[in-house]
Amino acid sequence: MRALITGITGQDGAYLAELLLEKGYEVHGVVRSLRDKSRDHLSDIANRISFIAADLSDQVSLDRAVQESRPDEVYNLAGQTFVPVSWSQPLLTMEATGMGALRVLEAIRRHAPSAKFLQVSSSEIFGKTENGRQTEATRLQPGNPYGAAKMFAHHMTINYRESYGMFACCCIAFNHESPRRSPEFVTRKVSQQVARIKLGMASKLKMGNIEACRDWGFAGDYVRAMWMMMQQPQPVDLVIATGITHSVKELLEIAFAHAGLDWKKHVEIDPALVRPIEEGPPCGDASKAKKLLGWKPEVSFKKLVEMMVDFDLSLLSQAAKFTATAVAGD
């Protein structure tokens, strides 16, 4: 089996590449440039991946990527994924996250119509919802440019499925985190700063609304669901979520306690970081996925947070030792 992954250098792309290689796939990954060295998440498996230079804003390069890889499965994980950036750069977000998905679909239609396609959607397509869990039937009313771009990609995936008979499905993934999460996201922001405080590199962590809640899961569990969706006889759109919400306060309590610290002594509330309008609380109902795929999350929220803190403690400790060794050598 041959798979083509866009966004392979990101959190989800790295976990998915590892999973597919374990299952014996030939993995091809789209990168903007073959000279781009930002592949830290793939360092252990990079020599087993065939990288292809292409960009979601360039139809010709995507056509070539599909022709070159001759994929059986295509996973679109690329795009601009940070909600605050979507407000400052809405056109870029629509171009990469919305139109990018359409260009991938078009490349498949032209050059590999029998290939299966999975679009990673987002809980942001639901926007501000009433209390309760969101399902595949929940009304889509995104409240930010990122959610609107994801909704466009979601609808175009369904459109291509119904219009061209393509195996095209949408994984409506709720928040999923890991040690590979980018630092601008709150979970990794917390785990990194907790590690710095523990190692004496910092003393405070500034936060916004710590009562905000999210349905947080482990990225490794979620990419497993993505692969399982592609093994179904017919394409289907599914919500992937834990069905349990946790507050940012809980995140802080677990992270600091795991490092042997009292969060109340180190956390400061910064009014500038409090959102004017707090959406949610988003909480997904993955009962359909559990019934159809037999999928369920394996990593608990507590284990996930502790995993992230341990990773950042190790990472920063190694960096400090390297710096100390280099200084001693000078």
Side-chain angles (χ1 to χ4, degrees), residues 112-302:
S114 62
K116 295 181 177 181
F117 172 77
L118 182 136
Q119 165 65 23
V120 179
S121 192
S122 166
S123 59
E124 291 291 339
I125 65 176
F126 296 126
K128 188 175 183 180
T129 60
E130 300 297 328
N131 289 336
R133 296 181 179 182
Q134 289 79 60
T135 72
E136 295 80 6
T138 298
R139 179 186 175 189
L140 309 187
Q141 44 185 353
N144 54 67
Y146 169 73
K150 278 291 189 181
M151 184 178 73
F152 173 82
H154 181 89
H155 280 311
M156 291 310 302
T157 300
I158 295 171
N159 185 278
Y160 268 60
R161 178 173 72 217
E162 295 178 348
S163 299
Y164 301 114
M166 293 171 56
F167 187 111
C169 57
C170 296
C171 174
I172 309 172
F174 277 64
N175 297 65
H176 47 290
E177 318 296 318
S178 78
R180 294 169 174 170
R181 191 54 138 159
S182 298
E184 63 263 26
F185 289 88
V186 67
T187 49
R188 188 71 192 284
K189 171 186 175 181
V190 168
S191 67
Q192 280 193 338
Q193 196 66 357
V194 166
R196 289 192 183 99
I197 293 171
K198 178 65 176 179
L199 296 173
M201 299 176 180
S203 60
K204 296 295 181 181
L205 168 60
K206 292 185 177 182
M207 299 294 296
N209 179 15
I210 64 173
E211 299 302 329
C213 294
R214 293 291 183 270
D215 183 338
W216 278 303
F218 172 52
D221 286 338
Y222 285 45
V223 300
R224 177 166 48 85
M226 296 173 197
W227 175 79
M228 295 173 78
M229 289 176 66
M230 294 284 255
Q231 311 317 306
Q232 299 307 300
Q234 299 296 328
V236 61
D237 306 321
L238 295 174
V239 165
I240 301 299
T242 70
I244 303 171
T245 58
H246 298 275
S247 67
V248 175
K249 181 180 177 180
E250 290 178 75
L251 167 65
L252 294 168
E253 290 172 343
I254 295 170
F256 276 94
H258 188 60
L261 301 168
D262 182 352
W263 73 273
K264 294 179 181 179
K265 295 180 179 180
H266 301 282
V267 174
E268 293 183 352
I269 303 301
D270 184 350
L273 298 177
V274 177
R275 293 183 181 182
I277 300 177
E278 183 63 50
E279 295 180 358
C283 184
D285 181 351
S287 57
K288 187 175 179 180
K290 292 176 181 178
K291 180 179 180 180
L292 184 64
L293 308 179
W295 175 87
K296 64 178 181 179
E298 296 179 353
V299 177
S300 69
F301 178 68
K302 182 175 184 293

Side-chain angles (χ1 to χ4, degrees), residues 1-201:
M1 293 288 287
R2 291 184 299 275
L4 177 65
I5 304 173
T6 69
I8 195 169
T9 59
Q11 168 188 256
D12 292 1
Y15 280 112
L16 179 61
E18 288 175 347
L19 176 65
L20 297 181
L21 287 171
E22 289 175 3
K23 295 184 177 297
Y25 278 65
E26 178 184 307
V27 176
H28 299 260
V30 170
V31 292
R32 289 183 179 176
S33 170
L34 296 179
R35 292 176 294 179
D36 184 4
K37 303 301 181 182
S38 60
R39 304 175 191 172
D40 292 346
H41 300 329
L42 303 169
S43 58
D44 294 335
I45 58 173
N47 61 345
R48 300 171 60 192
I49 297 171
S50 297
F51 293 101
I52 302 173
D55 194 291
L56 265 65
S57 65
D58 180 12
Q59 185 69 59
V60 173
S61 68
L62 290 173
D63 287 348
R64 187 172 59 249
V66 171
Q67 288 176 302
E68 183 178 328
S69 60
R70 297 179 294 114
D72 299 296
E73 298 174 359
V74 179
Y75 297 82
N76 184 39
L77 312 181
Q80 193 296 103
T81 61
F82 193 44
V83 171
V85 170
S86 76
W87 284 110
S88 60
Q89 301 183 61
L91 297 180
L92 171 66
T93 300
M94 176 55 75
E95 182 68 25
T97 306
M99 291 299 297
L102 175 56
R103 292 189 185 98
V104 175
L105 281 163
E106 186 62 11
I108 296 170
R109 185 188 70 82
R110 293 177 181 180
H111 307 291
S114 62
K116 295 181 177 181
F117 172 77
L118 182 136
Q119 165 65 23
V120 179
S121 192
S122 166
S123 59
E124 291 291 339
I125 65 176
F126 296 126
K128 188 175 183 180
T129 60
E130 300 297 328
N131 289 336
R133 296 181 179 182
Q134 289 79 60
T135 72
E136 295 80 6
T138 298
R139 179 186 175 189
L140 309 187
Q141 44 185 353
N144 54 67
Y146 169 73
K150 278 291 189 181
M151 184 178 73
F152 173 82
H154 181 89
H155 280 311
M156 291 310 302
T157 300
I158 295 171
N159 185 278
Y160 268 60
R161 178 173 72 217
E162 295 178 348
S163 299
Y164 301 114
M166 293 171 56
F167 187 111
C169 57
C170 296
C171 174
I172 309 172
F174 277 64
N175 297 65
H176 47 290
E177 318 296 318
S178 78
R180 294 169 174 170
R181 191 54 138 159
S182 298
E184 63 263 26
F185 289 88
V186 67
T187 49
R188 188 71 192 284
K189 171 186 175 181
V190 168
S191 67
Q192 280 193 338
Q193 196 66 357
V194 166
R196 289 192 183 99
I197 293 171
K198 178 65 176 179
L199 296 173
M201 299 176 180

